[in-house]
Amino acid sequence: MSKPILYIVEDSIAAGAMYKAYFEKKGYEVSHFVDGFSAMSAIKNKVPDVIIQDVCLPDVSGIDVLKFAKKIDKKTEVVVITSNSSIDVAVTAMREGAYDFIEKPFENEILLSAVQSVLEQSISSGTQTVSTNLPGAKVKSDIDFIGDSISVQTVKRILNSAARSKASVFVTGESGTGKEVCAEYLHDCSNRHDKSFVAINCAAIPADLFESEFFGHVKGAFSGAISDRKGAVEMANGGTLFLDELCEMALPLQAKLLRFLQTGLYSRVGSSDVVSSDVRVVCATNRNPQKEVADGRFREDLYYRLNVIPVNLPPLREREEDIIILAHFFLQEKCKSANKLFKGFSKNTEKAFLSYDWPGNIRELQNVIENCVVMNEGDTVELDMLPQFKREALKSNVSTAKKSLLSEIEAELTDEIIPLWQVEKEAIESAVHICNGNIPLAAVKLGISASTLYRKIKNWEELA
């Protein structure tokens, strides 16, 4: 059986040589390219089993190399690496077909695991015949993100990569976007899945009890401590500790958390014994952590200690293609628990769901559907089954959108004849604005392909 062929496209000679030597020791046939054109020429002559692709190159973007490789052979798998932590870069890479996305700096084992996962997938699908020592298959999580949107799939890929290490993950996003589900998914995908997942809501615990909740206490440590008690750190030993609403934590407690993260050591309240705990920390907040640092409410050193792998969960209004999928999932879930027979939603209900802004995100959608199921009977969820306040909000939202569209049309209906291209340009710009800058969504609303819309916008920018 032949060795798996690996191309490394990395403009840093030192880094590329290090990766090459590492993978050659692992039994791979490796070629290193320092620019995009050299890599594309090699890909055209011989398609490798896997490509490790840096985004920033001296001649072309790594995304262009990714597109070229996929054009030559759609089965070619690409692991993208970059020092740019922007979620937009990850979304673009995943949209163009990247298998994985890894942010620098990273351990060689993480990169190896990503490459081996590619080969595992190829072997299981019958498209790969190379022989190599592959690690055990990644555990399939019982906790999953529901949705087909690019942003959700990108988040899942980032979490799958992060699951291979112990690196801290910092999840940000509006309330109700599923930050705890994100942490549970990461735990279930990691090699810690058979240990405890312990969640602490930092905003719900009084400051004077937080240290006890976190590190535990011994009997007699304070009034009411009638017995020894384990803290979250001890209960999560070997597993994952999820710290929700982290930015609500008081500054003195932040210092104690930082000390624990640096050493892995702690003492129960009322005890001088020092013990250790091995935990994977995942934290979350609906605030802007960088602003909290700038305003002095959050320690900068703790932020950088925790923000190793940043993950930002998109609000539901930016995941329109997922709304109905989530609605059906919650409907089945709630009908099962309430012993109801609803099978789906009327077209008007679905339209209303898609028109609403969902300020409470997924949690709000879940609550609305639970209310419908509990308070009504039938096969189909009709619009008049929605809670009254919600129904009025949905109608108002639809009405506002219609009025906005009518006013734009009326503004264009003047005696002056406007050139067709200008009308088209204004209509497209208006659609993009209404969709909050989401060009693929605007394309769907306009009834054209996203590629056509991108091309038109690019042409106008070149003419400007």
Side-chain angles (χ1 to χ4, degrees):
M1 306 295 284
S2 60
K3 293 181 178 180
I5 300 173
L6 176 66
Y7 285 177
I8 298 173
V9 188
E10 164 64 75
D11 63 331
S12 169
I13 296 176
M18 179 183 69
Y19 301 149
K20 185 174 186 291
Y22 178 79
F23 279 97
E24 284 178 338
K25 287 182 180 179
K26 298 295 182 181
Y28 290 77
E29 182 181 326
V30 188
S31 297
H32 173 214
F33 306 94
V34 295
D35 61 79
F37 285 117
S38 297
M40 289 189 285
S41 177
I43 293 168
K44 188 175 182 180
N45 291 329
K46 185 174 184 180
V47 178
D49 296 306
V50 188
I51 300 172
I52 296 175
Q53 176 67 59
D54 191 10
V55 171
C56 298
L57 298 173
D59 49 359
V60 297
S61 167
I63 301 298
D64 292 330
V65 180
L66 166 61
K67 291 179 183 178
F68 180 83
K70 285 292 182 180
K71 185 177 181 181
I72 295 296
D73 188 343
K74 291 183 179 179
K75 296 179 181 178
T76 304
E77 296 293 1
V78 181
V79 176
V80 173
I81 58 175
T82 180
S83 56
N84 185 345
S85 62
S86 171
I87 192 71
D88 293 335
V89 176
V91 168
T92 300
M94 296 305 177
R95 181 181 288 122
E96 297 299 337
Y99 177 84
D100 208 342
F101 178 91
I102 302 175
E103 183 186 354
K104 298 178 182 178
F106 49 77
E107 298 175 358
N108 287 340
E109 289 75 13
I110 294 177
L111 190 57
L112 174 64
S113 180
V115 171
Q116 290 178 329
S117 293
V118 172
L119 298 177
E120 277 182 342
Q121 175 178 277
S122 299
I123 291 172
S124 63
S125 62
T127 60
Q128 179 62 262
T129 57
V130 296
S131 175
T132 183
N133 294 322
L134 299 176
K138 179 171 57 183
V139 175
K140 172 62 180 165
S141 174
D142 292 328
I143 305 296
D144 204 354
F145 287 107
I146 307 299
D148 295 333
S149 63
I150 288 291
S151 57
V152 169
Q153 296 306 314
T154 299
V155 168
K156 288 174 72 171
R157 288 288 181 90
I158 293 174
L159 293 175
N160 288 336
S161 296
R164 306 183 191 110
S165 72
K166 187 189 171 183
S168 298
V169 175
F170 204 131
V171 186
T172 55
E174 296 178 8
S175 293
T177 49
K179 294 187 285 294
E180 185 164 353
V181 172
C182 176
E184 291 184 71
Y185 178 87
L186 177 66
H187 173 76
D188 271 17
C189 289
S190 73
N191 59 5
R192 297 170 175 262
H193 63 92
D194 56 344
K195 301 294 183 180
S196 297
F197 175 89
V198 178
I200 289 185
N201 188 329
C202 299
I205 302 174
D208 55 346
L209 294 179
F210 193 91
E211 191 172 0
S212 172
E213 292 287 333
F214 200 80
F215 296 119
H217 62 253
V218 297
K219 181 179 179 180
F222 51 83
S223 178
I226 59 176
S227 63
D228 291 355
R229 183 186 179 190
K230 292 182 179 180
V233 167
E234 186 173 355
M235 290 189 289
N237 188 24
T240 302
L241 179 62
F242 175 56
L243 303 177
D244 197 10
E245 303 301 344
L246 181 70
C247 289
E248 304 287 345
M249 185 184 292
L251 284 169
L253 297 172
Q254 292 177 27
K256 294 179 179 180
L257 171 60
L258 177 62
R259 187 158 55 248
F260 166 71
L261 293 175
Q262 290 172 334
T263 64
L265 303 175
Y266 69 97
S267 296
R268 289 182 177 182
V269 176
S271 172
S272 59
D273 295 337
V274 177
V275 290
S276 63
S277 180
D278 171 29
V279 297
R280 179 10 161 358
V281 175
V282 182
C283 53
T285 182
N286 58 9
R287 297 186 182 183
N288 182 338
Q290 293 178 324
K291 186 177 186 303
E292 295 297 302
V293 170
D295 292 344
R297 292 188 292 268
F298 198 80
R299 291 180 62 106
E300 184 176 23
D301 46 3
L302 178 58
Y303 170 67
Y304 287 115
R305 182 82 186 187
L306 291 169
N307 194 42
V308 179
I309 301 177
V311 175
N312 181 258
L313 296 183
L316 188 56
R317 61 182 174 275
E318 295 179 7
R319 299 170 49 189
E320 186 177 82
E321 58 267 58
D322 294 338
I323 292 175
I324 304 304
I325 297 174
L326 283 163
H328 279 279
F329 172 79
F330 291 135
L331 183 66
Q332 293 175 5
E333 185 181 63
K334 301 306 177 185
C335 283
K336 185 177 180 180
S337 62
N339 196 26
K340 294 296 181 75
L341 301 175
F342 287 104
K343 303 298 182 184
F345 303 91
S346 69
K347 289 185 178 180
N348 286 337
T349 302
E350 291 189 352
K351 288 179 181 178
F353 281 168
L354 293 174
S355 300
Y356 186 55
D357 202 36
W358 297 110
N361 293 295
I362 299 172
R363 186 182 296 120
E364 183 180 11
L365 174 62
Q366 184 177 11
N367 291 343
V368 167
I369 292 174
E370 184 173 14
N371 181 285
C372 287
V373 170
V374 172
M375 301 301 295
N376 299 279
E377 300 287 344
D379 294 327
T380 304
V381 175
E382 302 291 345
L383 187 58
D384 60 4
M385 293 181 182
L386 295 171
Q388 182 63 29
F389 78 94
K390 189 61 60 189
R391 186 167 67 251
E392 292 303 320
L394 291 169
K395 288 180 178 178
S396 174
N397 190 286
V398 174
S399 177
T400 301
K402 287 181 178 178
K403 288 179 180 178
S404 176
L405 182 59
L406 286 172
S407 65
E408 290 169 6
I409 293 173
E410 290 172 357
E412 291 179 2
L413 295 177
T414 62
D415 293 335
E416 181 183 357
I417 297 177
I418 303 172
L420 184 60
W421 70 268
Q422 188 174 337
V423 174
E424 180 185 52
K425 181 173 182 291
E426 290 174 358
I428 288 175
E429 288 176 342
S430 175
V432 172
H433 175 73
I434 291 172
C435 294
N436 295 318
N438 189 326
I439 292 178
L441 177 58
V444 172
K445 297 293 186 182
L446 290 167
I448 61 176
S449 68
S451 60
T452 298
L453 191 50
Y454 277 114
R455 186 176 68 254
K456 288 180 179 294
I457 292 173
K458 184 178 180 181
N459 289 339
W460 292 328
E461 289 174 347
E462 290 175 351
L463 291 172

